[in-house]
């Protein structure tokens, strides 16, 4: 039987209370994620990792405020407060997360001109992060996802995992969402329709 991996998405300080792009209750999931890590055969992580002046930051677009949108060559991009600047404390994993077991950390969002929600592809849906190939080579056929944020990086990762033919579970109680303009209900429904198991 193909192996299963737990993928912990973006459980970083900037997405936790007090962080630059805080997700309500983001830190509450840490104990549960630690239990999932302890029980998992393989643990993979993603880390949102942006250079200063990244194009997903509202501050990079004159006259734009966070949570507004801009049209990028690859489609509509939501603008965010500056967050997860590479190498800063905001980009580090939550201090109580026990992630020694992690076999790989996939960093995403490091190209200045393109954002990346999914662990598999950047927001143009064509530039790969390499995770798809990694899972294939490792013989991993099923993934369980948890982390932040439910309606952005977790959901887009889950949808792409389905497209890769993986068996996909999202542990909703080990996720927290941003919920921008109804994005939570919309993305949960999209995951359900794509065949994601919502556990
Ligand atoms: C995320 C917005 C911007 C996420 C990352 O991890 O869901 N959301 N960058
Ligand atoms: Zn980001």
């Amino acid at each position: 039987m193909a192996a299963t991996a737990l993928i912990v998405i973006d459980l970083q300080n900037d997405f936790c209370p007090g962080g630059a792009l805080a997700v309500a209750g983001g830190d509450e999931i840490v104990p549960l994620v630690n239990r999932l890590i302890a029980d998992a055969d393989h643990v993979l992580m993603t880390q949102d990792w942006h250079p200063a002046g990244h194009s997903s930051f509202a501050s990079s677009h004159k006259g734009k405020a966070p949570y507004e949108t801009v049209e990028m060559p690859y489609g509509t991009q939501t603008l965010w407060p500056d967050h997860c600047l590479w190498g800063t404390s905001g980009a580090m994993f939550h201090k109580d997360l026990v992630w020694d077991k992690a076999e790989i950390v996939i960093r995403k969002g490091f190209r200045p001109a393109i954002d990346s929600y999914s662990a598999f592809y950047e927001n143009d849906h064509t530039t790969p992060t390499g995770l798809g190939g990694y899972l294939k080579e490792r013989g991993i056929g099923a993934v369980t996802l948890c982390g932040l944020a439910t309606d952005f990086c977790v959901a887009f990762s889950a949808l792409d995992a389905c497209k890769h033919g993986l068996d996909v579970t999202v542990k909703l109680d080990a996720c927290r969402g941003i919920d921008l303009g109804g994005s939570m209900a919309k993305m949960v429904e999209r995951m359900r329709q794509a065949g994601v198991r919502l556990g």
Side-chain angles (χ1 to χ4, degrees), residues 159-178:
L159 293 171
D160 281 345
C162 288
K163 282 186 208 147
H164 274 265
L166 297 159
D167 190 303
V168 187
T169 300
V170 170
K171 293 276 188 200
L172 284 177
D173 52 352
C175 297
R176 291 290 183 278
I178 296 173

Side-chain angles (χ1 to χ4, degrees), residues 89-159:
S89 57
M92 300 301 139
F93 295 122
H94 188 283
K95 66 172 174 37
D96 297 331
L97 187 66
V98 183
W99 59 282
D100 318 62
K101 261 178 88 169
E103 295 171 4
I104 191 171
V105 177
I106 295 274
R107 287 178 169 163
K108 58 183 182 59
F110 51 78
R111 290 183 178 82
I114 184 165
D115 203 8
S116 186
Y117 296 149
S118 164
F120 291 86
Y121 293 101
E122 307 216 350
N123 286 6
D124 60 0
H125 304 294
T126 46
T127 306
T129 63
L131 179 60
Y134 175 85
L135 294 175
K136 202 167 172 184
E137 274 204 308
R138 293 283 315 275
I140 294 168
V143 291
T144 299
L145 278 70
C146 60
L148 307 171
T150 318
D151 43 346
F152 287 90
C153 292
V154 174
F156 284 102
S157 298
L159 293 171

Side-chain angles (χ1 to χ4, degrees), residues 15 21 48 50 56-57 80 83-84 108 115-117:
F15 297 122
L21 177 38
D48 210 42
H50 299 305
S56 75
F57 298 166
W80 306 104
H83 66 280
C84 295
K108 58 183 182 59
D115 203 8
S116 186
Y117 296 149

